[in-house]
Amino acid sequence: MKLWHGRFEEESDPVFEKMNRSLGIDAVLLEVDIRASRAHARALLGCGVLSQEEWKAIDQGLEQILSEYTPDQVKATPYEDIHTFVEATLASKIGPAAGKLHTGRSRNDQVATDFRLYVRKAVGLVLADIEALELALIECGARHSDVIIPAYTPLRRAQPIRWSHSCLAFVEMFGRDRERLEQSLGRIDVMPLGSGAVAGSNFPVDREAMAKELGFKRISANSLDATCDRDFVLEFLSNVAIAMAHASRLAEDWIIYSTEEFGFIELSEKVTTGSSLMPQKKNPDSLELIRAKAAMTAGLLSGFLSLMKGLPTGYNKDLQEDKEAFLKAFENVRLCLTVLRLTVRTITVKTDRTQKAAADSFMGATDLADFLVMKGVPFRTAHEIVGRAVREAVDQNKQLGEIPLTTYSPLFEGLPADYLAPENIVNRKGHSPVLP
Ligand code: ARG
């Protein structure tokens, strides 16, 4: 029987029923729905809607449901959504008193409350995943602290940097992701319960007490906004889409670094696959899937934002799609961060290859120009002088150190022999320039 059977004469069509049913998705809200219902029941007791006995029966009945069902078992039941399941199951346990639980409440304020409780917990889990990945990256940088690789701009060799410099770049990115998620918690932590369907509740439920019981920091101020506000979902999707973009960029770097052409790193067999046809292949599937899931997660953000932007104020059924977008993004981000951490922890850096790449003297061209600058030459002039030297070296298929630099500027007299050694180029950065 439907919750609205008094108004309706006809049964809903099975095809529409299938479309309307969200239990396959929102069954995961079982625990939070029951917690919120228990807080609501206590508030109904407080304002005299429930007698002590009715409240006790409802409270115990709700607790029992939680101990008897897992979300997977709930999914297998025929109800429309998690709220309908809980109410009907409660009625089958305690009888008509269950019908009082929905007094002064709507599924609109109920689902908004449940979902905020769920997202709040999810953010905590993602935060822990990001932090673990950051630690793995720091360790990976420290493990190879003496390794130098080229840094790239437009994917062309630019200047040498330490391997740890590249690992720590991602620690910065993921650190910002954590900061954003942490800041979002304050906005998630607002309780809509008591807003009713849209205009508020006719019953003087103690909202502050409910918020306290559910661990919310604040209560919402406006029922019209509270029942249709999904900014917290948009923020979550946006924050994880950005974190996934960072994961994807690391994945992309390492797909490139692990090619035969670059050969800077070797990915472990734990996170790679072979080919069904070509016996020699070792493919970076983990990193490719991270790159792909980052794209799909960005799509979830884009989809849900498009859904939100056209909605009239107040609850609309469109909002039911929020859980699907959120849960997929949540699954994606947790899976990707975990696999990425495993990948980071198990790579091997191939120092013979990094050393060879880092020794490319053209990456010292800027340092040669700066050498002239420190002798008083304007940078633009120095750039031009070194540019001509580079041109000749390229034409003669030589390294920069192999051509007579003094023919381009006598000021190169006295250039230390190891001036272009990668370690020296790297060590020159990050502090006031050392005069030669
Ligand atoms: N299953 C619904 C959702 O997730 C619950 C709210 C239903 N409200 C309504 N007015 N039909 O959004």
Side-chain angles (χ1 to χ4, degrees), residues 32-63 86 90 94 97-105 109-110 113 191 193-194 203-207 209-211 213-214:
V32 287
D33 191 76
I34 286 187
R35 265 171 64 201
S37 290
R38 290 179 76 182
H40 180 66
R42 196 183 293 278
L44 290 178
L45 171 69
C47 62
V49 173
L50 295 179
S51 69
Q52 187 73 29
E53 298 72 53
E54 287 169 332
W55 168 73
K56 212 169 180 91
I58 289 175
D59 194 62
Q60 286 175 351
L62 288 170
E63 200 181 355
V86 171
L90 185 66
I94 68 164
K100 290 196 173 184
L101 176 61
H102 213 55
T103 311
R105 156 180 104 166
D109 59 346
Q110 196 181 353
T113 305
M191 187 196 72
L193 202 56
F203 298 87
V205 283
D206 185 342
R207 298 188 66 213
M210 288 197 289
E213 181 171 342
L214 295 172

Side-chain angles (χ1 to χ4, degrees), residues 22 26 81 83 107-108 111 315 317 319-320 322-323:
S22 58
D26 60 29
D81 60 19
H83 325 293
R107 283 185 294 167
N108 300 353
V111 74
Y315 177 86
K317 196 57 176 270
L319 292 174
Q320 179 164 280
D322 59 0
K323 266 86 67 197

Side-chain angles (χ1 to χ4, degrees), residues 138-159:
I138 292 169
E139 274 164 24
C140 183
R143 230 181 299 134
H144 311 285
S145 58
D146 52 345
V147 172
I148 295 176
I149 58 166
Y152 296 85
T153 59
L155 206 50
R156 303 293 186 274
R157 285 181 184 167
Q159 293 178 318

